[in-house]
Amino acid sequence: MRKAFKFRLFTNANQERKLDIALETHRRLYNVYLDYRELAYSMYGVTLSYLDCSRWFKVQRRTNPFFARIDFSSARATMRRLDKAFAAFFRRVKAGKNPGFPRFKGRDHFDSIEFPAYGDGVKRIDGNLRVTNVGLIKVKMHRPIEGQIKTVSLKREAGHWYAVFSCDLGDVKVEPSTHPPVGIDVGLESFFTTSDGDQEPNPRYQKTALPALRRAQRSLSRKRKGGKNRRKSRRKVAKIHARVKRLRREHHHQVSRKLVRRYGLVAVEGLNIQGMLKNDRLARSISDAGWSGFLETLRTKAESAGVAFVEVDARGTSQQCSACGSEVRKGLSVRQHVCPHCGLSLHRDENAARNILARGLLARTGPVGANVGVA
Ligand SMILES: [Zn+2]
């Protein structure tokens, strides 16, 4: 199992300048490689492979001092990134979807340097981080790293640098548990409802941050393009976004921890959030609640605690009666499930959570679909 650990880097001015230059060099490498591929294709009808570009980069390094200063394996990771973008592009073409050709990356859309093999270009020394051609950077370790570090990426977020360590924790066995199982229904009214009937209230960071964000965005739109004030304003907007993101992540960790401590099996619905976001008027609330990020955090926490995590197909879970199985049709505005067949009456989300739990238990123990989606 993989787990990510993220730490703030405390760079001095010199290190920060070097990191900024390295990031800019990686961005240019990405764009030059894209340009090069496009050119080869439009002029000669040739599709360049990653290997072609890796060779080309090797030659470029001899004459380009910026290319020469970035770590070779991290440069390869940047080239691989573009290769992945192309692979996804061709996949979409094949599937007949809107292809979306890989785009040139502007300064605001390229924010990380990847090191695919720990020890090559980056290394921890006494809790700090040694980065080739940058130096020894002070790291604030607010929690210990677990497992074996596999990859590292350096990330710039709202003017600060972070290191993200991706670690391999090995296989954690799911132990038979004495704790009860639970089904979770994520919703709009509450953040989620459990099959026990507990409702976790919605945190509304974005809503609280919204007035400040609107103000900052308005101020940004008034600033002259390319000016110093515009850059300042943009940084302010990015800062508010980063704060909301941090609060949301903290909340996800906190509620996930609570669930994993209390239960031995967690069943959730496999959500199609992208589809919902497109169709629902309540899109802002949904992305505000950040379900997909929450379920991902919950999965990671469950896996590392040895708690079973089951994803189920949630179609019809809100319409089906959890006591007798009958279909009880109701619109979104009907908040209570009242079954005319067996008389069960409870909150619609609790009913849905009970159905999710039943499906999760079936997937765990039933002969059909056993182990599907089980951590
Ligand atoms: Zn019923």
Side-chain angles (χ1 to χ4, degrees), residues 66-362:
F66 287 97
F67 280 177
R69 279 190 75 78
I70 56 174
D71 175 71
F72 193 66
S73 63
S74 70
R76 291 218 301 231
T78 294
M79 292 188 272
R80 280 240 158 79
R81 236 193 276 183
L82 181 65
D83 245 39
K84 268 189 207 151
F86 268 108
F89 164 71
F90 288 125
R91 226 178 8 249
R92 287 191 297 265
V93 170
K94 229 177 165 179
K97 286 186 195 157
N98 182 15
F101 196 79
R103 277 198 245 176
F104 288 97
K105 296 276 191 193
R107 277 207 178 78
D108 294 338
H109 295 275
F110 196 93
D111 62 3
S112 66
I113 304 170
E114 293 164 17
F115 295 86
Y118 175 68
D120 191 350
V122 282
K123 201 171 172 58
R124 281 179 73 210
I125 293 170
D126 298 330
N128 293 321
L129 194 68
R130 165 136 222 117
V131 181
T132 306
N133 291 326
V134 176
L136 192 66
I137 304 174
K138 221 172 112 189
V139 184
K140 190 177 175 190
M141 304 277 288
H142 58 278
R143 60 173 172 155
I145 288 183
E146 300 158 33
Q148 203 183 3
I149 304 171
K150 289 293 184 187
T151 70
V152 180
S153 62
L154 303 180
K155 218 167 167 201
R156 192 171 64 189
E157 265 178 34
H160 296 306
W161 279 92
Y162 297 85
V164 182
F165 297 89
S166 175
C167 302
D168 188 1
L169 300 191
D171 292 330
V172 179
K173 257 178 81 180
V174 174
E175 300 288 345
S177 173
T178 51
H179 294 284
V182 72
I184 307 267
D185 178 65
V186 292
L188 293 171
E189 197 183 316
S190 319
F191 187 64
F192 63 72
T193 304
T194 70
S195 48
D196 296 339
D198 293 336
Q199 296 202 315
E200 181 69 32
N202 254 324
R204 300 279 174 154
Y205 314 121
Q206 211 152 306
K207 233 177 200 169
T208 357
L210 212 57
L213 193 60
R214 286 244 169 85
R215 250 193 326 272
Q217 269 162 347
R218 236 184 349 253
S219 146
L220 172 64
S221 68
R222 279 197 299 263
K223 301 288 187 293
R224 190 172 49 81
K225 272 200 169 165
K228 195 174 156 195
N229 285 329
R230 192 181 173 84
R231 204 163 57 226
K232 247 195 208 156
S233 279
R234 199 166 50 214
R235 209 169 292 156
K236 199 164 178 190
V237 170
K239 237 184 192 150
I240 300 173
H241 277 305
R243 182 170 166 270
V244 170
K245 204 168 142 190
R246 199 183 58 240
L247 286 171
R248 178 184 296 155
R249 201 165 40 220
E250 271 167 23
H251 175 252
H252 290 171
H253 276 283
Q254 181 206 329
V255 290
S256 297
R257 239 187 336 261
K258 206 164 71 181
L259 288 169
V260 164
R261 259 192 222 131
R262 192 179 303 166
Y263 299 104
L265 177 145
V266 181
V268 302
E269 49 191 301
L271 278 176
N272 177 3
I273 305 243
Q274 280 304 326
M276 285 184 85
L277 281 180
K278 259 182 220 145
N279 296 326
D280 209 300
R281 276 183 301 126
L282 300 163
R284 184 182 281 284
S285 298
I286 297 179
S287 67
D288 195 352
W291 289 336
S292 60
F294 164 62
L295 293 180
E296 205 36 55
T297 306
L298 182 57
R299 171 210 290 283
T300 314
K301 280 258 183 307
E303 281 178 354
S304 60
V307 168
F309 183 86
V310 197
E311 269 183 304
V312 305
D313 181 352
R315 266 174 297 184
T317 42
S318 58
Q319 310 295 335
Q320 189 188 349
C321 175
S322 58
C324 71
S326 313
E327 193 185 328
V328 184
R329 289 230 150 258
K330 48 189 162 306
L332 253 180
S333 58
V334 181
R335 304 313 300 166
Q336 193 75 5
H337 168 87
V338 181
C339 181
H341 306 283
C342 72
L344 178 71
S345 169
L346 77 180
H347 193 280
R348 70 175 282 146
D349 292 344
E350 187 183 350
N351 180 61
R354 287 190 188 186
N355 282 326
I356 289 166
L357 172 59
R359 289 182 193 188
L361 289 172
L362 196 70

